[in-house]
């Protein structure tokens, strides 16, 4: 019987895996050979070897909602219904909050998939400041928490920014309800046009992707100003302040270094904004959509939406019109995490089986997995990101340490064999339950030729 943990592309190392060898002497280097056959990279040492599968591995499952069924029901898992869920964020307790845009509400989803309405009246558009379900929104799209647990909302249809306290009290933070346009000034007089993404800096300053005005706004000290972009002028120019141009900016996210990253939707690019207001293009090429992975400058996107950073500084992108989630490493390498470029669907599964349909929001969960607002599928999805496998060799003692990126709480098993044609794999050590974002196993008998793989267990 086939192993139920595996598919035709098992949880081996992904194409993102790298081998890090020990410092080799000239004599040792002469004994190293690299072989590429049948899409498997085998690095052969006189005492050890590593086999790396070149294809990406992933796992997609559904946390809540019913595929392509729009509705407004609270409940657990598939008993809950959404209507075009957009941005998604997580609180300090690991609960997820979703801008359920066509339901005009903010929903709360526990890690177990229990869905409730946190604020707003399901299916009732309006602007009412009140507590919890007595409040009203109109097509909310963007969400961000501040350090105090207050949730800021881009209330897109109302052209305002709202604030929800931890106790659920809703107020208007900036903008004039129903008055779309552009105007800097006090929070009570400033105007926005279809605000989308929102981010809160460490000092509490709120930043807004003012999509209809093609600029990034800043809210601090009761005043709204324009940080970058020339209001109501679209383009793709890099530069400082109003010399820079955007085209319907969408998602915003701060890096750990305080750099603001922007998904510039209709330019199909990712932009970077320094604290001094200098704008550069981080990934993609303005006006050139596509699906290419690779170096940031040659990679292509198609209407990127929300953004999320993981604990290691990798940037994840909801590449909405490509129906995929992309990853940009700290050294600027772009890869496709899950989904199939240009292929919409709602399938769950591992090893490239899972499909998405216009994913919009995403957040890195506390355990290191991704949670995605799969907008046109009307779902909240959980994603296991392809992991990177690293081999550290110590030739003098014939020791190999295999380490890999992990999701906290998940179980993994390292296995090995001497030849791919051999009948089965042998477990190396016991099952590893991840307690951090990286785990490792050591082989103290790394002699001859060995091929290693890591299984993600059910």
């Amino acid at each position: 019987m086939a192993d139920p943990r595996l598919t035709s592309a098992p949880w081996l190392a992904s194409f993102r895996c790298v081998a890090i060898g020990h410092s080799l002497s000239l004599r040792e280097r002469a004994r190293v050979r690299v072989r590429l056959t049948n899409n498997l990279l085998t690095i052969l040492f006189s005492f050890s070897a590593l086999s790396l599968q070149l294809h990406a591995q992933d796992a997609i499952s559904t946390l809540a909602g019913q595929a392509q069924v729009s509705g407004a029901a609270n409940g657990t898992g598939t008993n809950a219904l959404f209507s075009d869920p957009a941005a998604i964020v997580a609180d300090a307790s690991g609960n997820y909050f979703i801008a359920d845009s066509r339901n005009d509400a903010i929903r709360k989803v526990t890690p177990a998939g229990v869905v409730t309405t946190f604020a707003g009246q399901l299916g009732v558009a309006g602007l009412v400041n009140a507590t919890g379900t007595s409040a009203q929104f109109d097509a909310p799209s963007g969400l961000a928490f501040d350090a105090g647990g207050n949730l800021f909302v881009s209330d897109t249809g109302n052209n305002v920014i709202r604030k929800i306290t931890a106790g659920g009290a809703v107020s208007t933070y900036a903008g004039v309800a129903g008055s779309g346009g552009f105007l800097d000034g006090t929070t009570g007089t400033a105007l926005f046009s279809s605000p989308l993404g929102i981010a809160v800096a460490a000092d509490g300053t709120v930043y807004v992707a003012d999509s209809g005005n093609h600029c990034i706004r800043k809210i601090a000290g009761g005043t709204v100003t324009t940080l970058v972009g020339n209001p109501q002028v679209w383009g793709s120019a890099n530069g400082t302040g109003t010399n820079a141009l955007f085209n319907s900016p969408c998602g915003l996210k701060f890096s750990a270094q305080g750099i603001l990253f922007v998904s510039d939707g209709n330019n199909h690019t990712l932009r970077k904004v320094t604290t001094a207001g200098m704008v550069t293009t981080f990934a993609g090429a303005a006006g050139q959509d596509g699906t290419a992975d690779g170096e940031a400058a040659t990679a292509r996107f198609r209407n990127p939406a929300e953004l999320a950073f993981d604990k290691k500084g990798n940037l994840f992108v909801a590449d909405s019109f490509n129906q995929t989630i992309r990853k940009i490493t700290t050294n600027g390498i772009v890869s496709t995490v899950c989904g199939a470029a240009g292929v919409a669907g709602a399938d769950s599964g591992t090893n490239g089986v899972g499909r998405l349909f216009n994913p919009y929001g995403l957040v890195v969960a506390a355990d290191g997995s991704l949670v995605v607002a799969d907008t046109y599928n009307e779902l909240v999805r959980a994603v296991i990101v392809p992991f990177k496998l690293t081999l550290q060799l110590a030739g003098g003692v014939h020791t190999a340490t295999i380490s890999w990126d992990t999701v906290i709480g998940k179980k993994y098993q390292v296995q090995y064999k001497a030849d791919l044609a051999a009948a089965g794999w042998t477990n190396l050590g016991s099952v590893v339950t991840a307690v951090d974002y990286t785990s490792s196993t050591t082989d103290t008998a790394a002699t001859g030729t060995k091929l290693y793989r890591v299984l993600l267990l059910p």
Side-chain angles (χ1 to χ4, degrees), residues 270-293:
L270 283 304
R271 315 287 290 278
K272 199 162 79 165
V273 185
T274 68
T275 53
M278 170 62 73
V279 179
T280 56
T281 299
F282 176 64
Q288 299 181 33
D289 66 344
T291 63
D293 287 331

Side-chain angles (χ1 to χ4, degrees), residues 7 179 230 246 273 290 302 310:
T7 69
S179 298
N230 193 344
F246 297 84
V273 185
R302 190 177 180 206
D310 70 7

Side-chain angles (χ1 to χ4, degrees), residues 63-65 73-77 80-82 85 87-100 105-120 122 133 143 145 151 164-168 371 380:
L63 180 62
N74 289 319
T76 300
L81 297 176
F82 302 89
I88 180 170
V89 293
D91 68 8
S93 299
N95 298 300
Y96 308 111
F97 293 78
I98 298 169
D100 195 4
I106 310 303
R107 312 290 289 282
K108 178 180 177 181
V109 184
T110 71
V114 179
V115 181
T116 55
T117 301
F118 178 62
L122 290 174
T133 55
L143 298 174
F145 276 108
L151 182 60
I164 311 176
T165 67
V371 179
V380 178

Side-chain angles (χ1 to χ4, degrees), residues 46-60:
S46 61
F47 55 85
S48 186
L50 172 69
S51 176
L52 301 179
Q53 176 115 8
L54 299 182
H55 297 294
Q57 313 290 295
D58 65 278
I60 302 178

Side-chain angles (χ1 to χ4, degrees), residues 56-84:
Q57 313 290 295
D58 65 278
I60 302 178
S61 59
T62 295
L63 180 62
Q66 294 183 32
Q68 298 181 20
V69 177
S70 177
N74 289 319
T76 300
T78 56
N79 292 318
L81 297 176
F82 302 89
S83 188
D84 286 8

Side-chain angles (χ1 to χ4, degrees), residues 89-334:
V89 293
D91 68 8
S93 299
N95 298 300
Y96 308 111
F97 293 78
I98 298 169
D100 195 4
S101 63
R102 287 182 60 196
N103 273 328
D104 307 302
I106 310 303
R107 312 290 289 282
K108 178 180 177 181
V109 184
T110 71
V114 179
V115 181
T116 55
T117 301
F118 178 62
Q121 299 174 31
L122 290 174
V124 179
L127 194 150
V128 173
N129 289 320
T131 299
T133 55
S134 296
Q136 291 180 357
F137 299 83
D138 187 352
S141 297
L143 298 174
F145 276 108
D146 70 4
N150 298 298
L151 182 60
F152 289 85
V153 182
S154 287
D155 194 0
T156 307
N158 280 320
N159 293 303
V160 297
I161 306 304
R162 312 287 288 280
K163 177 182 175 181
I164 311 176
T165 67
V170 180
S171 60
T172 300
Y173 189 69
V176 179
S179 298
F182 174 81
L183 182 67
D184 282 336
T186 65
T187 54
T189 60
L191 298 179
F192 298 85
S193 179
S194 297
L196 293 179
I198 191 167
V200 182
D203 65 359
T205 301
V206 177
Y207 293 81
V208 179
D210 195 3
S211 181
N213 282 321
H214 308 294
C215 59
I216 309 301
R217 314 288 290 281
K218 177 179 176 180
I219 309 172
T223 301
V224 179
T225 57
T226 300
L227 175 67
V228 289
N230 193 344
Q232 300 182 333
V233 178
W234 60 270
S236 60
N238 290 319
T240 302
T242 57
N243 292 318
L245 298 178
F246 297 84
N247 190 351
S248 298
C250 183
L252 298 181
K253 189 63 64 175
F254 278 101
S255 70
Q257 294 74 35
I259 303 299
L260 183 62
F261 285 75
V262 182
S263 61
D264 197 2
N266 286 347
N267 275 327
H268 312 297
T269 57
L270 283 304
R271 315 287 290 278
K272 199 162 79 165
V273 185
T274 68
T275 53
M278 170 62 73
V279 179
T280 56
T281 299
F282 176 64
Q288 299 181 33
D289 66 344
T291 63
D293 287 331
E295 299 284 346
T298 58
R300 295 293 180 264
F301 303 84
R302 190 177 180 206
N303 296 95
E306 291 282 348
L307 308 172
F309 279 99
D310 70 7
K311 297 290 187 181
K312 298 184 178 181
N314 300 301
L315 179 62
F316 292 89
V317 182
D319 196 4
S320 60
F321 282 18
N322 273 330
Q323 326 297 347
T324 57
I325 303 300
R326 314 288 289 281
K327 175 183 175 182
I328 309 177
T329 64
T330 54
N331 60 347
I333 302 300
V334 180

